Amino acid sequence: MIGGIRRGCGPDFRIGWHLSIERYGLRLEELREMTAEIFDRELIDYLDLAPWDYHQIVQEGSFRGRTLLNVFADLPRNGGAAGRIRSAGRATRLLDEGCDFVLIGRAGILERNCPVLVESDASHESPALPVPADFLRKGGLSERFIDHLRGWGDVVRPGSL
């Protein structure tokens, strides 16, 4: 499937893979092996790791004692991380631990200029969640998107109008 996307879009189209490490019931060794093979075959340009906890220590198997991020960080690739990165400090730690870039989601929703804020202030943190719906409106979000975010459970403060 990835090969078909690559053929259809051409070599200049960047293809990434979002990998939620703790999901899908695969062993960590299988996920890492599969990821390495995909990079070896040059099917993707970057890896977007999304563990629930980057600093979680692997408790079993051949990677026991390593952090989840560390298991993938030594692959010869361009790799980034996503998942609750809402502070300049956390982004910096991920870069220091081997990520080539970080991806933001909620932080970018809360503050459209989040990368500029982080670049200008190394201690910047996104607003604590959940936020009032009015905060999101003032940030330029539509009512439709705010209603969608209510379903995420942790973004829009319950009962806020």
Side-chain angles (χ1 to χ4, degrees):
M1 183 163 104
I2 299 172
I5 294 169
R6 174 65 71 208
R7 284 189 300 279
C9 294
D12 295 331
F13 186 81
R14 306 245 330 136
I15 298 175
W17 181 24
H18 179 83
L19 178 60
S20 297
I21 297 172
E22 295 97 334
R23 295 185 183 175
Y24 313 116
L26 293 174
R27 289 182 20 255
L28 192 55
E29 290 82 2
E30 293 172 309
L31 282 173
R32 189 178 185 292
E33 184 178 314
M34 182 173 32
T35 303
E37 180 180 333
I38 289 171
F39 273 115
D40 287 346
R41 294 176 50 203
E42 298 181 354
L43 295 175
I44 60 173
D45 299 299
Y46 67 90
L47 176 65
D48 163 14
L49 290 175
W52 289 109
D53 179 0
Y54 294 99
H55 297 99
Q56 178 181 342
I57 304 296
V58 178
Q59 299 298 317
E60 56 190 32
S62 61
F63 298 116
R64 186 171 190 231
R66 293 171 66 179
T67 65
L68 285 176
L69 181 61
N70 180 267
V71 169
F72 291 86
D74 62 352
L75 288 173
R77 88 297 178 238
N78 290 319
R84 302 187 189 272
I85 301 168
R86 295 189 1 253
S87 72
R90 184 165 189 172
T92 299
R93 282 191 304 276
L94 291 169
L95 293 171
D96 289 345
E97 290 179 24
C99 287
D100 299 305
F101 55 88
V102 294
L103 299 156
I104 59 169
R106 286 173 177 82
I109 291 170
L110 295 174
E111 300 172 306
R112 291 187 291 181
N113 62 340
C114 181
V116 173
L117 296 170
V118 167
E119 185 177 51
S120 65
D121 179 3
S123 64
H124 180 74
E125 291 193 26
S126 294
L129 294 174
V131 296
D134 197 46
F135 176 87
L136 299 170
R137 281 185 204 97
K138 288 177 182 174
L141 298 184
S142 71
E143 289 302 319
R144 184 175 180 186
F145 192 53
I146 292 169
D147 284 342
H148 172 73
L149 291 173
R150 289 180 197 280
W152 291 18
D154 68 338
V155 178
V156 183
R157 184 174 298 147
S160 68
L161 300 177

